[in-house]
Each structure stands twice: as structure tokens, then as C-alpha cells.
Amino acid sequence: MTDTIRTLNGWLRRVPTWPLYILCLLPAPWLFWLGLTGGLGVEPIEALEHEYGELALKFLIAGLCVTPLRRFAGLNLLKFRRMLGLVAFTYVSLHLLVWLVLDVQVLSRILQDIAKRPYITVGMTAFVLLLPLAVTSNAVSLRRMGAAGWRRLHWLVYPAVLLGGLHYVMLSKGWQVEPLIYMCVILTLLALRVRGGRRAASA
């Protein structure tokens, strides 16, 4: 580890997380305001769904980057991983709420869409996997579950983010480059995680 990385890690340890929550969530009300005032184009509801969903995926990917950055670059961002996960879940929830409340609105149609449209089924599965992670992302749950049980539960983030990337690819019209890039990044990060886990197990 270089002196620069050591210095940066020391500085990061002193950075409080609460201002980062505020900073990372600022786009949420701003995007909603843009949707209300015509700043998101002719299909504001669809655009708002897309923006919230893409932000959720970005923060999930950022959370996946924490372990590889520590392992390969020595950069310790572990204290921010919970914050990244909770912010990601907030945007996933907003993405879902826009779809439920502003887009579909009718309960019977919501259930039909979940059952009949594969990309919605995949997206809802990802949300269900993330839900227990958000509920247990606190010190009380960690103490009650124990470190080993808590870590096992939070492995659900890996299939969840994979399904989130697949949801993005499936809902895109045609073969767009951007969703495929997200999917490639997710697959690469998951491959690094699996490789790192095998090395740790064989050590």
C-alpha cells in the first residue's frame, strides 16, 4: 500500500456518512420536480421510472466496487458500503412507487404485469431480495443475527444486482449499448468477488 493510499484511507475514516446520504439522495426530489414541470420530456412518468431505476443500479454497482477496490488498490471504503446499499434501496423503492402509483395505478393490472411480463417479474424478484437487506442494515440486526449469519443474508445482494441488470437489459427496446455496459460491469464485479472468495477459501 502506497503512502498516498494510506493518507487517503486515514482521511476517509474521518468523513461522516450522514452528509453523503443527503448528497446522494438530492437527485430524488429534483427529478420529481423536473417531472412535474415538464423537464423530463413528453413522457415524464416513464422518464422518472428510468432515472430512479438507473440511479439504483449505479449505487448497487458502487457497493459492489468496495471489496475489489480494497483488495486490488488498498482503498478502504467499507464504512460507506451500508450507505451505498441503503441509498440504492431508496431509489429502487422510488422506481417501484412511480410504476405502482403513477404508471399502472390499478391493482389487478399490477398483479397481471408482474405475472405476465418477464422483465417486471425479474425486477420484482430483485426488489424482494433487497428488502431483507435494507431491513437488517443496522447495528441491532447485526448483533442479533451474529456476524456470520448477517454476512450470509447479505450475500443476497449479488443475485439482486444481477437481476437488476437483467431487468434493465430486458426492458430496453432493442439491443441498446448502455444496459449491456451495465450488465458487463456487474458480471465483471461478480466474477472478481467469486475469484476472491475462492482464493480466501483456499488460503
Side-chain angles (χ1 to χ4, degrees):
M1 187 186 300
T2 66
D3 291 338
T4 301
I5 293 296
R6 287 194 185 92
T7 302
L8 182 57
N9 285 339
W11 179 79
L12 288 170
R13 282 194 292 270
R14 295 191 293 270
V15 175
T17 55
W18 67 265
L20 297 180
Y21 278 99
I22 297 172
L23 183 64
C24 292
L25 290 172
L26 278 177
W30 172 245
L31 287 168
F32 191 77
W33 172 253
L34 288 178
L36 288 176
T37 56
L40 293 180
V42 295
E43 297 287 347
I45 294 175
E46 182 178 342
L48 193 60
E49 281 182 44
H50 172 81
E51 293 292 341
Y52 284 155
E54 191 168 355
L55 280 167
L57 202 54
K58 286 177 179 178
F59 280 105
L60 284 171
I61 290 172
L64 287 184
C65 289
V66 170
T67 296
L69 283 172
R70 185 181 60 163
R71 181 177 297 131
F72 299 111
L75 189 61
N76 192 345
L77 299 171
L78 283 175
K79 69 174 291 184
F80 305 111
R81 186 157 59 183
R82 181 183 300 180
M83 181 271 297
L84 292 170
L86 289 174
V87 169
F89 182 77
T90 300
Y91 281 113
V92 170
S93 300
L94 290 172
H95 173 71
L96 178 61
L97 280 172
V98 170
W99 177 68
L100 290 174
V101 178
L102 300 180
D103 191 352
V104 182
Q105 298 180 344
V106 181
L107 179 60
S108 59
R109 187 184 156 195
I110 290 170
L111 298 176
Q112 289 174 2
D113 282 352
I114 293 172
K116 293 183 179 179
R117 297 188 180 185
Y119 75 91
I120 295 179
T121 307
V122 168
M124 285 300 297
T125 304
F127 174 77
V128 170
L129 292 177
L130 288 172
L131 188 57
L133 308 189
V135 172
T136 58
S137 287
N138 55 75
V140 174
S141 296
L142 179 58
R143 286 195 300 271
R144 288 181 177 177
M145 297 175 65
W150 190 88
R151 281 195 297 269
R152 282 195 297 271
L153 177 65
H154 281 251
W155 269 78
L156 289 175
V157 70
Y158 302 118
V161 71
L162 183 61
L163 289 173
L166 181 61
H167 170 71
Y168 191 12
V169 171
M170 293 173 70
L171 67 83
S172 301
K173 298 174 182 178
W175 287 96
Q176 297 183 22
V177 174
E178 187 177 12
L180 295 176
I181 291 174
Y182 277 97
M183 196 65 183
C184 287
V185 171
I186 290 168
L187 290 172
T188 300
L189 290 169
L190 291 179
L192 289 172
R193 185 67 183 87
V194 170
R195 182 181 176 187
R198 287 177 179 173
R199 282 186 176 181
S202 61

